[in-house]
Amino acid sequence: MTSDELVTDRSGMIAKMAMELCGTKYRLHGRNAEHGLDCVGLAARCLSSADLVCDVPNGYSMRGGSAQQISEVMTLAGFFVLPSGARLREGDIALVRPGPVQWHLMIRTDCGFVHAHAGLGKVVLTPGEAQWPIEMVFRIGEN
């Protein structure tokens, strides 16, 4: 899909915005592309592009928290949790576990996952499958 094509479904809008944000600077607690984004800020910006509003958490550390807390925020934003082993599609948001006490959000696109990579210092597209174990997948309920 080219950036000029009209995307009308929310999942497509989420994936399209994720791709457009590739190259954006990484910043912990970052909430806008001008100053930088972390994985939560990236997801929030993508949700906003699909006219989805959610209470975006702040003040968290890079380690800690729970999948339940993240699931509650995503459910309030209109997402549902996919059953384990379900096939992912563009616009899905994967909650992965890069380390024993670390959570990370990645957005599925047709060519891989877009995520805010702290080590590389920017939002990147990682082609193919998720590089970390997927703990939960969230999918938007379409209207």
Side-chain angles (χ1 to χ4, degrees), residues 24-131:
T24 299
K25 178 179 143 185
Y26 173 86
R27 186 174 135 241
L28 183 60
H29 301 136
R31 295 294 181 263
N32 69 58
E34 292 177 15
H35 295 102
L37 297 168
D38 65 3
C39 69
V40 174
L42 171 65
R45 181 65 194 98
C46 291
L47 296 181
S48 175
S49 75
D51 294 326
L52 297 165
V53 179
C54 67
D55 185 18
V56 181
N58 245 328
Y60 49 83
S61 69
M62 287 186 75
R63 303 210 183 326
S66 74
Q68 182 62 34
Q69 291 169 318
I70 296 165
S71 181
E72 288 171 8
V73 169
M74 296 301 287
T75 301
L76 288 172
F79 285 79
F80 61 93
V81 178
L82 290 179
S84 180
R87 179 180 213 97
L88 276 71
R89 69 176 191 208
E90 79 168 353
D92 287 346
I93 298 180
L95 176 64
V96 299
R97 189 172 274 235
V101 292
Q102 187 175 2
W103 300 103
H104 187 55
L105 297 173
M106 300 183 357
I107 297 154
R108 181 71 185 168
T109 69
D110 282 341
C111 36
F113 288 90
V114 173
H115 60 110
H117 196 298
L120 296 175
K122 62 185 174 181
V123 175
V124 298
L125 168 66
T126 302
E129 298 304 314
Q131 61 197 43

